[in-house]
Amino acid sequence: MRNNIHEVRLNCGITMPVMGFGTFSFENDWETTEKAIHMALKMGYRHFDTARIYGSEPAVGNALTEAILDRTVEREDIFVTSKLWGSDHHNPVSALQKTLQKMSMEYVDMYLVHWPIKLKPWVSYAIPKEEDFEELDMESTWAGMEKCLDMGLCRCIGVSNFSSKKIQGLLDFASVPPAVNQVEMHPMWRQSKLRETCADDKIHVSAYSPLGAPGNAWGSTAVVDNPIIQSIALKHKATPAQVALKWGLSKGSSVIVKSFNQHRMKDNMGSFDLKLDDQDFLEIDKLEEWKIMRGEFLVNETTSPYRTIQDLWDGEI
């Protein structure tokens, strides 16, 4: 059974492990991904995050199926998240059925709208072009997500990369509110306003890139290299990564960590044992926040695939 000390109960009634294992990688080598998942399971990871656009769904499904068949875990003891890509907004049910087929699973635990954008049906690459966009009818998309839920294809539905304004817009017509909003969040992009908005409507905020995505093309080492983060780590005989993760967990968020390195995978799990004090939180609150959105895409104010950041985030950065 999963350790409920490290879980959160969502507004849909199910529980979710707060330490998620991300499976996006530029290489998308299935064998490497499968090995990492088996290693993660041995370390106690039980929440696995994938998406159609990552290309990792088959590897995730294969590794978890193997683990279930050899009785390393039971299906009900793991939590699987996948996401609706922008080119699948016209038919979320069909998209999720294809995901389940790739993963050899009967259901996922969480299905998220990956971005609040709609792309033409043939767009299957991560960085869309200007001509790839279509007008988003979120009400229609969300009706499809709710149908996925009704059909038992998923246990819960949610969103990703939604601003406060977009969350409020969705709640105006949603019969089932989103259970999760997965966004980039870390000590240098604290998402204070968004966390307040989501808390008011009992929507759980899940943090991707909780370390600032060091080592990735879009990311930065600014979080783990920050002198304040490093001094807090030294004070507690911890690592900067553990400090950043514990900050996110202490805010009531789950964190989606992404490393296939055995040492760092173990190090990330160690954040549960770290205790930050009030002074630590005050020091982190003083950190200057990033003003540019990063994420699975290389996004900046002049070369955003979403025309401008404001189109996506409504100026709420």
Side-chain angles (χ1 to χ4, degrees), residues 153-198:
L153 303 177
C154 56
R155 298 172 68 211
C156 232
I157 53 177
V159 296
S160 182
N161 299 298
F162 271 53
S163 65
S164 295
K165 184 176 179 181
K166 286 184 168 62
I167 287 287
Q168 294 296 344
L170 174 57
L171 292 173
D172 285 344
F173 53 75
S175 298
V176 178
V180 163
N181 186 14
Q182 188 185 114
V183 297
E184 180 172 356
M185 175 181 144
H186 45 69
M188 295 184 72
W189 193 3
R190 297 185 284 279
Q191 299 282 17
S192 300
K193 179 182 176 182
L194 182 63
R195 284 190 284 115
E196 287 178 13
T197 299
C198 289

Side-chain angles (χ1 to χ4, degrees), residues 115-307:
W115 288 89
I117 58 166
K118 184 178 182 181
L119 302 171
K120 290 174 180 174
W122 57 85
V123 179
S124 58
Y125 35 87
I127 303 182
K129 302 167 188 170
E130 180 74 22
E131 60 269 21
D132 294 334
F133 290 85
E134 292 187 352
E135 185 175 351
L136 173 61
D137 178 2
M138 193 61 209
E139 189 166 358
S140 174
T141 296
W142 196 248
M145 296 291 285
E146 292 176 341
K147 190 172 181 183
C148 290
L149 191 62
D150 291 341
M151 292 173 66
L153 303 177
C154 56
R155 298 172 68 211
C156 232
I157 53 177
V159 296
S160 182
N161 299 298
F162 271 53
S163 65
S164 295
K165 184 176 179 181
K166 286 184 168 62
I167 287 287
Q168 294 296 344
L170 174 57
L171 292 173
D172 285 344
F173 53 75
S175 298
V176 178
V180 163
N181 186 14
Q182 188 185 114
V183 297
E184 180 172 356
M185 175 181 144
H186 45 69
M188 295 184 72
W189 193 3
R190 297 185 284 279
Q191 299 282 17
S192 300
K193 179 182 176 182
L194 182 63
R195 284 190 284 115
E196 287 178 13
T197 299
C198 289
D200 288 344
D201 292 292
K202 297 181 173 56
I203 299 168
H204 174 77
V205 174
S206 186
Y208 71 74
S209 298
L211 306 179
N216 285 322
W218 68 79
S220 167
T221 60
V223 175
V224 292
D225 286 348
N226 186 277
I228 290 176
I229 297 294
Q230 291 192 339
S231 70
I232 294 171
L234 188 63
K235 168 183 165 183
H236 292 288
K237 296 187 168 114
T239 65
Q242 288 173 338
V243 171
L245 292 175
K246 188 63 177 187
W247 174 85
L249 294 167
S250 298
K251 295 300 180 183
S253 297
S254 53
V255 292
I256 310 297
V257 294
K258 195 271 136 188
S259 177
F260 292 173
N261 176 282
Q262 185 173 359
H263 175 74
R264 287 194 291 271
M265 287 164 63
K266 185 177 179 181
D267 187 55
N268 291 339
M269 289 296 276
S271 61
F272 285 123
D273 300 323
L274 175 62
K275 288 181 172 57
L276 300 179
D277 57 40
D278 291 344
Q279 186 61 37
D280 299 329
F281 287 110
L282 286 172
E283 290 297 318
I284 290 172
D285 282 343
K286 293 177 187 174
L287 294 177
E288 183 179 358
E289 294 202 75
W290 289 351
K291 300 303 179 186
I292 300 296
M293 182 173 182
R294 304 196 210 327
E296 289 131 12
F297 308 105
L298 188 61
V299 177
N300 61 50
E301 287 179 300
T302 57
T303 61
S304 169
Y306 305 109
R307 302 177 181 89

